[in-house]
Structures are given as C-alpha cells and as structure tokens.
Amino acid sequence: GQQVMQIPQYQHVQEGEDFTTYCNSSTTLSNIQWYKQRPGGHPVFLIQLVKSGEVKKQKRLTFQFGEAKKNSSLHITATQTTDVGTYFCAGPRSGGYQKVTFGTGTKLQVIP
Amino acid sequence: DTGVSQDPRHKITKRGQNVTFRCDPISEHNRLYWYRQTLGQGPEFLTYFQNEAQLEKSRLLSDRFSAERPKGSFSTLEIQRTEQGDSAMYLCASSSWTGGRYNSPLHFGNGTRLTVT
C-alpha cells in the first residue's frame, strides 16, 4: 500500500540555523499538505501544494512539491524556538475516496 | 468558528470495558475523520464520513471499533472490550469538501487520550 516516509525522524538545530525535512511517497500524489504539531498539541494545517514543481513560501518557511509529485520538502530559514514541533506531510490515498495519509513526521528541536 | 471539539479530553478505563468518544466538528464542515496517534507516530487513519455516510474504514481497524455520525453533525467513536493496545490519542478532524479533485485541509480537535489499564 501507499507509504509516506519522512526524513529525518529527528533534528536538533541551534536557533538561527536552517532546517529541512523531506517527504517521499511510494506513489504519485495529486496534492500534498503539511501540518505542524506542537508538543502536547494537535496537528495544524500549514499549506497545500497541488502543482508539479510548485514552490510556496510562508515567511521563513518554504514548501516545495517535486516534479514527479512523489516528494516534497519543507525548509525553515533561521529557526526560532517557536518552530519547535513535529512536521508532518500528508497526501491522499491513491484512488478511492479522500483518505488522507500522514507521513512519519520530523520532530524539530531548536536549541536557544 | 468554534473549532473542532472532542470529549472527553482524557479517559482511563480498565481492559475489557467499552468506551465512547464524541466529536463536534466545525458546523459547516461536511467531512469528519477519526485518526489514532501513538507517541512518536503520525496520525493513523481510522475512518471518515461525508455528511452521515461512512465512506471508508481502515482495514487495520478491528470489529471492536465502530463510529457513527447519525445526523451528519457530531460523531461518536466506540471501542468495545478495550485492550491495552488501544491506548492512544484519538483525534477527530473535519473539513469542507466542495467536490474538487483535491482533499481539503483538515481541522483537528484536541483529541481524547485513552489509557487502558
């Protein structure tokens, strides 16, 4: 079945350093979403990408959808302590209805 | 928009007991999802509804789990004869789907944390 893997699983960075997480799907995705989950919180929607090669920016966050629509990345420039949390990519199951499958997540820790 | 509400926030139960959780989605949202999340893992899909119709149920879900959304508004998730392996955070999410080809953003509740002793 479809799998959505993320690397790395964990990342510790010094405040001010950049951070990137990568999302890889075993199947082509029609679209991909990114969510952030703060410690003790619930996932919060960040963005959705739908076009091949699409790049979107939200302040210090840059999201990219691969040309083949099987991978995606999230890059954070100059991390801040408020960026702490787990970042998940999520995509629809191939075919069928709109079940959203979440990736394994990347847990980011920012050291002040 | 009051967000997605889940009740209770925490539930401790003994193995073999039945438990029921409730989710109140954002009022105008027609889709409602249930996910389960264990420590260090991503949310795992359980089932989802469009209005009152249950459109999909995970094959990983045993027959002890059942969900309803009787009037297309709130939903309940029942677990019968709970087992220790059922201990997890149960998350509800809702979305508004208007028929496009892309899935809509999910709005999650704070979850119900179940502990089975």
Side-chain angles (χ1 to χ4, degrees), chain A residues 9 30-31 33 35 37 40-45 48 50 69 88 90-93 97-104, chain B residues 9 31 33 35 37 40-43 45 48 55-56 59 91 97 100-106 108-111:
Chain A
Q9 190 175 3
S30 62
N31 68 99
Q33 298 174 344
Y35 292 79
Q37 186 172 22
H42 57 272
V44 174
F45 174 78
Q48 182 172 25
V50 302
K69 302 184 78 173
F88 294 99
R93 187 193 69 147
Y97 298 101
Q98 292 196 348
K99 182 184 90 170
V100 177
T101 300
F102 279 75
T104 48
Chain B
R9 290 294 304 274
R31 289 195 164 175
Y33 297 76
Y35 284 85
Q37 187 175 30
Q41 302 297 313
F45 171 82
Y48 96 97
L55 295 188
E56 189 168 351
R59 283 173 288 180
L91 293 166
W97 184 65
R101 63 177 292 205
Y102 304 123
N103 45 295
S104 307
L106 301 179
F108 283 87
N110 289 323

Side-chain angles (χ1 to χ4, degrees), chain B residues 47-106:
Chain B
T47 188
Y48 96 97
F49 295 83
Q50 179 164 311
N51 299 313
E52 66 276 7
Q54 187 173 18
L55 295 188
E56 189 168 351
K57 184 176 177 180
S58 171
R59 283 173 288 180
L60 300 175
L61 212 57
S62 80
D63 291 340
R64 298 184 296 106
F65 287 72
S66 63
E68 293 183 341
R69 194 184 183 197
K71 298 182 179 179
S73 56
F74 74 92
S75 176
T76 57
L77 176 68
E78 181 183 17
I79 308 174
Q80 296 182 330
R81 305 180 303 281
T82 52
E83 302 172 356
Q84 287 188 322
D86 297 331
S87 295
M89 176 72 82
Y90 289 83
L91 293 166
C92 176
S94 68
S95 71
S96 176
W97 184 65
T98 56
R101 63 177 292 205
Y102 304 123
N103 45 295
S104 307
L106 301 179

